[in-house]
Amino acid sequence: MPDDLYLKLLFRRRMGHRLNLRNPTTFNEKLQWLKLNDRNSQYGKMVDKYEVRDYISETIGSEYLIPLLGVYNSFDEIDFSSLPNQFVLKCTHDSGGLVICKDKSQLDIDKAKMVINQSLKRDYYFLGREWPYKNIEPRIICEKYMVDESKEELNDYKIMCFNGKAKCTFVCSNRGSSSGLNIDIYDIDWNLMPVQRPGSPNSGIYTKKPKNYTQMIKYAEILAENNKFLRVDFYEINNQLYFGELTFYPNSGFKGFEPSEYDVLFGNWIEL
């Protein structure tokens, strides 16, 4: 099925209304338009969780990368005896292929293999026609398990850049908790915005502005300089800044906002 027809059908199913590609106005509509019309061979490298490391090293510096412990073409290549007690396994070509090991003696290797192998077989491009993922070589990377000295759950700071300028930050917290993911949205001056994502409610807690916030904004805008939209993710661990990932289409452009006016507001910030 052609990409535009597929996206129109999926958009109506997920969002409950017609996708306007001739004159897109909302944030989610413009993400669909960008999937179809903004194609750069560099994008594949930017979303590949292994290849992006070179890009980050060249652009802002290798000191912001989480230490890499290994890269593998298959799960069976992993030598667990050589890995530290704690580590994280990720697939390079998708979202969700993740195994977090906090104690190697308790790791269920068979279950981990099932999770990773299922992810390796997944063609992430076909799910939402996110073009940058189309030609990525599926691989596995192993990274150091990062924890803050405070022992608190790490916040994920997602800097939303529109035409190269950071406009707001999505702060993701309580990931993996029984209550589910919380998302709080702060404007560029770190004021909490009265908006939330369906299924990911506000935490109800005011998050302190990260100590490295100014640096986050600076580097996010450097990385997003030539893009109509790019989300740049960072962590702050023991007061040090670390890069997370780059995303062109958050939630593949199929998740709204409450209230819905913010879908229009964020859409206005993208100049096609």
Side-chain angles (χ1 to χ4, degrees):
M1 186 183 295
D3 289 350
D4 57 348
L5 177 58
Y6 177 87
L7 290 174
K8 286 179 180 180
L9 293 172
L10 190 57
F11 191 89
R12 188 172 187 88
R13 179 182 176 187
R14 296 275 187 89
M15 303 299 292
H17 59 89
R18 184 177 65 88
L19 170 60
N20 185 346
L21 288 174
R22 290 187 177 182
N23 184 31
T25 56
T26 69
F27 177 72
N28 285 292
E29 283 181 333
K30 288 188 176 181
L31 292 187
Q32 307 307 327
W33 188 94
L34 289 170
K35 288 179 187 179
L36 298 169
N37 296 283
D38 181 30
R39 300 194 169 186
N40 184 321
S41 59
Q42 182 80 342
Y43 292 172
K45 179 178 182 179
M46 293 169 71
V47 299
D48 184 312
K49 291 179 176 61
Y50 178 64
E51 296 292 339
V52 73
R53 296 177 65 87
D54 287 338
Y55 181 71
I56 295 301
S57 295
E58 296 163 2
T59 309
I60 65 173
S62 60
E63 62 268 30
Y64 301 107
L65 293 171
I66 293 175
L68 182 70
L69 303 176
V71 57
Y72 319 95
N73 293 310
S74 71
F75 189 89
D76 292 335
E77 289 183 9
I78 303 173
D79 178 9
F80 287 94
S81 66
S82 67
L83 296 179
N85 189 49
Q86 296 182 325
F87 56 85
V88 177
L89 297 175
K90 299 178 181 178
C91 287
T92 59
H93 69 299
D94 78 338
S95 176
L98 181 71
V99 171
I100 299 174
C101 176
K102 298 181 181 181
D103 182 353
K104 193 164 62 171
S105 68
Q106 300 298 314
L107 178 65
D108 186 334
I109 292 181
D110 290 336
K111 183 178 180 180
K113 183 175 183 177
M114 180 184 70
V115 170
I116 294 297
N117 282 347
Q118 285 179 345
S119 183
L120 287 174
K121 293 176 183 177
R122 185 184 301 127
D123 190 326
Y124 200 65
Y125 158 72
F126 277 109
L127 297 176
R129 300 299 165 93
E130 298 186 30
W131 179 81
Y133 292 94
K134 188 171 184 178
N135 296 311
I136 294 179
E137 178 186 356
R139 286 178 288 185
I140 308 161
I141 58 171
C142 183
E143 292 180 337
K144 180 180 178 180
Y145 176 71
M146 304 294 284
V147 62
D148 194 85
E149 289 176 352
S150 67
K151 306 299 181 183
E152 294 180 359
E153 182 78 20
L154 293 178
N155 286 334
D156 192 354
Y157 300 98
K158 301 179 181 295
I159 314 296
M160 309 284 276
C161 296
F162 301 77
N163 295 94
K165 294 297 180 182
K167 294 282 192 178
C168 59
T169 301
F170 286 30
V171 180
C172 296
S173 59
N174 299 319
R175 191 184 299 275
S177 70
S178 57
S179 59
L181 175 69
N182 296 120
I183 299 178
D184 298 296
I185 303 176
Y186 292 83
D187 68 18
I188 195 65
D189 296 315
W190 207 256
N191 299 304
L192 185 63
M193 301 175 72
V195 57
Q196 63 184 12
R197 290 288 232 175
S200 302
N202 298 149
S203 67
I205 300 171
Y206 179 80
T207 303
K208 287 184 178 180
K209 183 166 65 174
K211 293 183 178 180
N212 290 284
Y213 180 65
T214 300
Q215 200 173 15
M216 288 182 188
I217 298 301
K218 174 185 174 182
Y219 288 147
E221 291 186 343
I222 289 173
L223 292 165
E225 182 179 7
N226 297 312
N227 300 105
K228 297 184 185 301
F229 174 81
L230 187 67
R231 194 192 79 199
V232 184
D233 297 3
F234 290 105
Y235 299 99
E236 187 173 74
I237 306 170
N238 299 324
N239 297 322
Q240 298 296 314
L241 182 65
Y242 289 94
F243 167 78
E245 64 180 20
L246 301 176
T247 301
F248 288 97
Y249 323 105
N251 297 104
S252 199
F254 296 117
K255 193 168 187 177
F257 297 88
E258 298 172 348
S260 60
E261 304 92 85
Y262 280 85
D263 202 0
V264 177
L265 173 64
F266 294 147
N268 289 338
W269 288 346
I270 302 177
E271 297 178 12
L272 298 179

